[in-house]
Structure formats: C-alpha cells, structure tokens
Amino acid sequence: MQINPNNPIGVFDSGVGGLTVVRALMERLPFEHIEYFGDTARVPYGVKSVETIAHYTTQIAQFLLERQVKLLIIACNTMASVSAQVVRDLSPVPVLDVIEAGALAALAASQSRRIGVIGTPTTINSNAYARAIHEVEPDARVVSQACALFVPLVEEGWLDHPVTRLTAQEYLKPVLAERVDTLVLGCTHYPLLKPLLADVTGPQTTLVDSAEAMAERTAALLTDLNLHTPARAPADYHFHVTDVPLRFQTIGERFLGRSLNNVHVVKW
Amino acid sequence: MQINPNNPIGVFDSGVGGLTVVRALMERLPFEHIEYFGDTARVPYGVKSVETIAHYTTQIAQFLLERQVKLLIIACNTMASVSAQVVRDLSPVPVLDVIEAGALAALAASQSRRIGVIGTPTTINSNAYARAIHEVEPDARVVSQACALFVPLVEEGWLDHPVTRLTAQEYLKPVLAERVDTLVLGCTHYPLLKPLLADVTGPQTTLVDSAEAMAERTAALLTDLNLHTPARAPADYHFHVTDVPLRFQTIGERFLGRSLNNVHVVKW
C-alpha cells in the first residue's frame, strides 16, 4: 500500500487526555494534519475489562482508517497496554503507541536503570511498561504504581492543590523508596501534574512525559518512512468525540493548551 | 395492567453505586426479589451529556421491563436528575427515583429549612434536588455543591483517609458556611463516606442517606399499591452488568455489604 504523505495523522484516546499528545505533535510537527478521536461517551477505559477495551479500540481505529490517516497513534496508555496488538493486526498503516514511546524515552533518560512508572490501575496491572522496558534492557528495575485518583484530580482542575500534593506523596512513597532516577508519567493526563510531581519527586528524578516522547517518536518515524507532509500551509485539525460532556471545552482546552475548534460528535 | 406482586423489583444505576440501594432494600424488604442493572461498561454517567444519559437510561429501563419487574427504581442520582421523566413516560409499572426519595427525607429531617445537597457535577448542575425540595417547600434554602472526587475516592477505598478528609473539608466549607442543618448525600457512593462526612459536618448536621430513604419510600409504595410479595422464602437476587471490570467483585461487595453472586454480563 502506497501511503500519501499529505494524509493526516490519526491520534486516539479514551477521552480528552490524548490532547496532550496532539499538543506535543502540533509543536513538534506544525504542518501535519491531525484527526483526533476521543471516546468521551465511554471514558474512562482504565476501569474496564480487557475484552471491552479491545472491542472499543477496534471500532476507533477503523473509524480513523476510513478517514485515510497515514499513521495511527494510540495516545491512551490503557488502550496501548491491552490492545496495541489488535490495532497493529488490523492496520495497513504504521502504528505507534505511547507505551513504547514512554519506555524508550525512559531508557534514554535513566542512568541507574531503576525506573518508576505511574498510570491508571489497568495500565499498571497490564505490566506493559515493564515488558516494553525489559524487552530492551532485561536487567532494568521497574517499580510500578497505580494512581487511580490522578485523572479525576486533573479533571477537577486541582493541578496545584494540597489534596493533589498529599495524594501524590502517598502514591509516590513506595516508588521513591526504591531510589528510581526516572519516573514515566504513564497516562496522558499526568503532564498537567508535572510541576507538582517534580516538586514531590525532587530534582534527582527525571520525569518522562509520554506526550513529548510520542512527538519525538512520530517525527523520527515520518523521517524514516519519508512520510513528512510537503505542505507548508497551516495544518487542519479535526476532533471527533462520542459525546460533548459538561465542561468539555474548558477541560479540552486545558489539555490542548489552545482553543479547541472543529469538534465533531460521532454517535455510536 | 395487572401487576404481579411476586415479580421482582428492578433497580438500576450507572455502575456499582446502586448496590447501596439494593443493600438497603435487602434489609428493609428481605422477601422481595431484586433484578439489578449496573452499566459498568459506560460508568460514570456524571460527566456525560444529557442526551447520552437519556439514551442509556431508556435502554436499561427497557431491559428490566422485559424481565417483568413490578417496580422500577432509578438508583443513580445522575439518571434520576436528567432522565426520570423519560423512564416514567415509557414504563407501565411505577417508577421511584433517588432524588425524590432524598428530597422528601431531607424535608422530613430539616428543622431550619436550610438544606445542603452534595453530588456529582451533573446531578448538581441539573438542580434536580433543589427543584424537588422547592416543589414541596418553596421557601427552603438549598445549598448545592458538586463533589467530583468523592466517587473515585470511594472506589479507591480511601474511606477514612487524610486525602478524603481534606477533600471533604474543601468541598463542604461553603455548604457549612450557610449553616445547613441537613445534608443530602446525593450520590449512591456517598453512604460509604458517611462516618467521615459526619465527622467533618459535626453533630449539628443530619446526614440523609438516599439509599435508606429509597428503601423507606419503596416499602410505603408497595403497601399503598398492595404489591408486597406474599412469599416468605429467601429472595432471588440477580445482578446484570455491561462489563466486569478490574476489582468489580471487591468494590461490589463493599457496596452491597455481603458476597455478590448471580452476576450476569450483558454485551451491548
């Protein structure tokens, strides 16, 4: 199959969190068109079963493939951790996922090979980050911690709040006790907590933002496959969501870091 | 339509929270059969749009009506606040909802007619509790507060945790400043936070548990309509869910207060 470099990049997530990946892509690759899909009616995925997540993931990937994307980016850690292979099996275009991007960035950043990973319960229980890190570096020590409350705290807007700080201290205590030198923010919501988490972990720990890691991986892949768009005009961005919930615009813009236009509702 | 008193009571919720209502019903009406529906694949509803909630609610009500329930109980505050009328319009059997039950119980408990209501953002923004209270008592002062983090805190099991206490203090500060004498726990998850909330509000505030209020309303309605089951054998309980997520059994049993059997998965 011949892939057209003018085609958009497809990015998907269970909700608005993947907009942190879109934001990083807009900054790193400003001429690339992007089609985003956020399954806002069925979010969050982090508490659903593996079968249900695989079923929803397939539906979304097919939607974006019908829109002629040149590349699929799984921006949702939960989907990447339990159903990346499902997407790779069905996709005629390349597939990147945040887990792989985050794991590789962590390995590049870590000196001590002691790496912490935080994410939703489903992501952590899937053990996908540890597997991805161990594939490259079998001797690395990976300390994982589920942080179920971070997503609701971010969505409440308590980005720098005593409750969030106390919650972070509680979750990170066992991780820091293992003297990790790198901490992977294994959920697209967590970049918004970066300043607070940096405060809690201290300067001796490098935080790996998987949105930024993904933008780097995407740029490298487009170069490898000669798929950068030749266009030098402003890019088109389209945002497909399954619901427009309360405060969607506010929360979405907080993630995207700019105004959110071209929002299309898909009813399934 | 002649309703058979031997038929089960249908109870539904967006997830496991409605099991607090089932628990109150089991205690108050031990011989009544119960068919429970929890939409665990699509939970939480509190962040979805009104149209989506109405669509899901209709689907669930029809499912239970096909199972010949003699009464429908909307145990989910979010569904009750935005789509109770949708259910009443389609149901040939009586419909009770937690908002009405909670509002009536609050009016019975309050001396000062200054009533606080806490719930999910969608429930609070719908203003449904204030409307239900004002219908009976137009001069009552209703102070509402959305508490988006309480559901995730309960599901994390942090029922008596410093983070939960700090969160409760933050949310309740403006409510207590209005000197309410009664506080409606307007979400089925909140009964599990009752001891902590009672501590934060102090003894001068009566907490209204909408699960208990609903069990009382149900008993009264069955008496009024002569619909109590004549059976004196152990009742049958069936639990229909759209997904069996991680930790479902643990969390479900925490809500139900006993072991959870007869769980059936419905795939939509």
Side-chain angles (χ1 to χ4, degrees), chain B residues 165-179:
Chain B
R165 189 168 298 264
L166 193 59
T167 304
Q169 284 162 347
E170 175 96 8
Y171 282 142
L172 293 178
K173 202 183 298 168
V175 181
L176 296 175
E178 296 278 346
R179 294 171 293 111

Side-chain angles (χ1 to χ4, degrees), chain B residues 15-16 36-41 239-245 248 263-267:
Chain B
V16 291
Y36 181 81
F37 192 102
D39 195 3
T40 44
F239 302 93
H240 309 276
V241 292
T242 45
D243 195 16
V244 177
F248 170 76
V263 174
H264 314 282
V265 179
V266 179
K267 280 285 170 212

Side-chain angles (χ1 to χ4, degrees), chain B residues 179-200:
Chain B
R179 294 171 293 111
V180 301
D181 73 345
T182 303
L183 180 68
V184 180
L185 311 187
C187 171
T188 48
H189 278 61
Y190 298 179
L192 282 84
L193 296 175
K194 216 161 136 186
L196 183 144
L197 293 173
D199 242 35
V200 172

Side-chain angles (χ1 to χ4, degrees), chain A:
Chain A
M1 173 187 170
Q2 188 64 34
I3 299 174
N4 184 344
N6 293 302
N7 286 352
I9 295 172
V11 180
F12 61 98
D13 180 48
S14 53
V16 291
L19 294 175
T20 57
V21 172
V22 174
R23 176 187 195 159
L25 288 169
M26 285 170 161
E27 286 165 12
R28 183 70 184 73
L29 299 162
F31 301 115
E32 297 294 342
H33 304 306
I34 298 175
E35 297 274 336
Y36 181 81
F37 192 101
D39 196 3
T40 44
R42 302 188 291 201
V43 72
Y45 281 23
V47 293
K48 301 190 204 304
S49 70
V50 169
E51 294 68 32
T52 297
I53 295 168
H55 171 53
Y56 292 174
T57 305
T58 303
Q59 238 183 332
I60 297 167
Q62 279 163 342
F63 177 93
L64 287 172
L65 288 169
E66 280 163 21
R67 301 185 71 87
Q68 311 296 330
V69 296
K70 65 180 173 185
L71 166 66
L72 276 174
I73 293 180
I74 310 177
C76 172
N77 280 271
T78 303
M79 284 197 253
S81 66
V82 303
S83 49
Q85 198 52 50
V86 173
V87 182
R88 292 201 163 89
D89 289 347
L90 69 83
S91 174
V93 301
V95 177
L96 290 176
D97 75 77
V98 275
I99 305 263
E100 190 197 37
L104 295 176
L107 284 163
S110 175
Q111 304 278 317
S112 68
R113 286 352 206 183
R114 302 178 72 84
I115 297 170
V117 179
I118 55 175
T120 65
T122 302
T123 300
I124 295 304
N125 287 333
S126 75
N127 216 25
Y129 272 100
R131 266 204 318 277
I133 291 168
H134 287 144
E135 250 172 50
V136 181
E137 187 76 49
D139 296 332
R141 167 103 178 94
V142 179
V143 185
S144 303
Q145 173 69 44
C147 303
L149 291 164
F150 280 172
V151 167
L153 283 164
V154 167
E155 299 200 336
E156 186 68 327
W158 288 9
L159 305 181
D160 180 28
H161 189 285
V163 163
T164 312
R165 190 168 297 264
L166 193 59
T167 304
Q169 284 162 347
E170 174 96 9
Y171 282 142
L172 293 178
K173 202 183 297 169
V175 180
L176 297 174
E178 296 279 345
R179 295 170 293 110
V180 300
D181 74 346
T182 304
L183 180 67
V184 180
L185 310 189
C187 171
T188 49
H189 277 61
Y190 299 179
L192 282 84
L193 296 176
K194 216 161 138 186
L196 183 143
L197 293 172
D199 241 36
V200 172
T201 59
Q204 70 283 11
T205 310
T206 305
L207 301 187
V208 171
D209 175 335
S210 51
E212 285 171 14
M214 178 52 89
E216 283 310 316
R217 283 279 293 145
T218 305
L221 184 84
L222 293 183
T223 302
D224 290 350
L225 302 180
N226 204 18
L227 280 179
H228 282 285
T229 178
R232 284 300 169 265
D236 289 337
Y237 304 117
H238 290 275
F239 302 92
H240 308 276
V241 292
T242 45
D243 195 16
V244 177
L246 208 66
R247 299 192 299 145
F248 171 76
Q249 200 73 21
T250 313
I251 295 176
E253 294 183 353
R254 191 183 297 149
F255 281 91
L256 197 62
R258 69 187 75 190
S259 65
L260 182 57
N261 304 308
N262 293 331
V263 174
H264 315 282
V265 179
V266 180
K267 280 286 170 212
W268 278 341

